Amino acid sequence: EIPVTELLTRQLVDATFQEFAALLLQPLDATGSSNLQFRLGDELLVRLSRQPVVAGRLKRRRAGLGYWVTACR
């Protein structure tokens, strides 16, 4: 299991999406066994995998992430 913390999530958001660095990050209680979820500001959600196998799949999808961030604005 990957140790995902609120601090790690904040650091990842700040390093990857500087435009969201000022948004409040709040952990959500309703999380499954595979993911942790955090509310980012009023309209965004951060979902991080706890499982290395899933994390590997997400790396392949990262290329399209910029598109989704742009499309959701």
Side-chain angles (χ1 to χ4, degrees):
E1 186 169 297
I2 299 171
V4 177
T5 64
E6 187 173 350
L7 175 60
L8 174 64
T9 305
R10 176 87 267 166
Q11 291 170 337
L12 289 170
V13 168
D14 293 354
T16 308
F17 302 103
Q18 292 85 18
E19 65 270 30
F20 301 137
L23 296 178
L24 180 64
L25 182 72
Q26 298 175 312
L28 296 177
D29 291 332
T31 58
S33 59
S34 296
N35 300 297
L36 285 174
Q37 297 181 15
F38 298 85
R39 170 72 55 206
L40 183 61
D42 293 331
E43 299 179 6
L44 299 173
L45 178 76
V46 177
R47 185 178 76 169
L48 298 174
S49 175
R50 297 181 191 189
Q51 307 301 321
V53 173
V54 177
R57 278 187 251 144
L58 293 176
K59 285 181 186 178
R60 293 191 296 273
R61 296 180 187 171
R62 187 171 189 268
L65 185 58
Y67 166 79
W68 290 110
V69 169
T70 302
C72 292
R73 291 187 184 169

